[in-house]
Amino acid sequence: MKSIRRILARAGAMWIIAGINAALFISACCGADMSDLYLGAGIESLRARPWSPFTYMFAQTHAAHFSLNIISFIIVGAWFENRLGGLRLAATYLTGGLAGAMAFEAIALIAGTPDATLGGSSAAVLAVYAGIVALYGRRLGNISLGFIGRWSAGLPLCIVLVSSVFELWGDNPGGNLAHIAGILSGWGMGRYLSREATPRNDDSGNIIDKFERSGYSSLTADERRRLFNSQHHNGR
């Protein structure tokens, strides 16, 4: 529990993004109109609300949708920022959301649904999760699913990806294609970041794991120095 608290305490960008999501959700619950923040289909909608490809990924009104996204983002966002820094977290979140917006516009154009709208942070959150899996797949460890056994931490991402593909022919093709685009964007970002992060993480990954398991006092002087240098570099 102490290591989790340390990770959350250092995750500044994660809390800012989560705070914006929470503030808009609370505003919606208090009666504020979120329609101008949602992404609408078609060129005319984009001309009327050119900010919507960015704002839609922070605006959600359904309690279940918001709760799932915000809890997932706090978990994966803090883990991501602790290792790669707040700027990379924000970049991955935004590019995932924008990829989802472009996918939504494409399918709305093909399907001829000019009245469709998109709101919510699912594509952006999935991008962050996919980025982590792409970078640290084996080191994420396993999660316990009770009598089913222990499975890879990337399993939930695979389930979302497969279900989104099958649901493209359902009632919400735009939203599901946005999920897929967010995952692919995050995976691509993770592979890109691995080019610069892998050598550094190979050197400091074990130190980070030891720090999270046993705390700062368990590190040697050399390990503390290397951890500090790694975190300082990641935060640039």
Side-chain angles (χ1 to χ4, degrees):
M1 291 298 295
K2 289 183 178 180
S3 63
I4 294 175
R5 286 197 294 268
R6 290 191 186 99
I7 292 173
L8 293 176
R10 292 196 299 270
M14 182 277 291
W15 286 120
I16 292 173
I17 295 172
I20 295 172
N21 277 271
L24 291 177
F25 176 72
I26 293 171
S27 297
C29 291
C30 293
D33 184 6
M34 297 286 109
S35 59
D36 283 343
L37 302 181
Y38 290 152
L39 179 65
I43 297 298
E44 293 303 321
S45 177
L46 290 174
R47 286 176 177 172
R49 301 193 301 274
W51 55 83
S52 59
F54 293 92
T55 57
Y56 93 93
M57 67 184 81
F58 297 95
Q60 45 213 340
T61 57
H62 298 292
H65 193 203
F66 166 77
S67 299
L68 178 60
N69 280 333
I70 203 69
I71 292 172
S72 300
F73 180 66
I74 288 174
I75 295 171
V76 299
W79 206 98
F80 190 107
E81 183 172 357
N82 186 56
R83 285 157 177 77
L84 294 168
L87 289 178
R88 293 185 179 94
L89 171 63
T92 304
Y93 184 95
L94 291 173
T95 53
L98 289 174
M102 290 188 289
F104 169 79
E105 293 293 344
I107 199 170
L109 178 63
I110 295 172
T113 54
D115 296 329
T117 59
L118 181 66
S121 58
S122 296
V125 173
L126 287 169
V128 175
Y129 189 8
I132 289 175
V133 173
L135 269 166
Y136 301 101
R138 293 184 178 179
R139 290 184 54 218
L140 289 176
N142 297 322
I143 55 176
S144 176
L145 298 178
F147 67 92
I148 300 177
R150 297 184 66 83
W151 293 75
S152 167
L155 178 63
L157 185 70
C158 294
I159 293 175
V160 172
L161 179 60
V162 172
S163 64
S164 295
V165 170
F166 280 105
E167 291 175 11
L168 285 175
W169 291 269
D171 297 332
N172 184 26
N176 285 291
L177 189 61
H179 292 170
I180 296 170
I183 292 172
L184 295 178
S185 171
W187 185 270
M189 179 69 80
R191 300 311 300 168
Y192 170 77
L193 292 175
S194 69
R195 298 177 183 177
E196 58 180 87
T198 298
R200 184 170 63 254
N201 287 326
D202 287 344
D203 180 61
S204 63
N206 291 333
I207 299 175
I208 293 174
D209 291 341
K210 180 180 178 182
F211 166 66
E212 292 179 353
R213 287 194 308 267
S214 306
Y216 187 76
S217 60
S218 67
L219 303 181
T220 66
D222 181 62
E223 288 173 335
R224 293 177 185 181
R225 178 185 58 79
R226 290 160 61 191
L227 178 64
F228 175 81
N229 291 338
S230 173
Q231 295 299 311
H232 179 70
H233 182 83
N234 289 345
R236 288 180 183 177

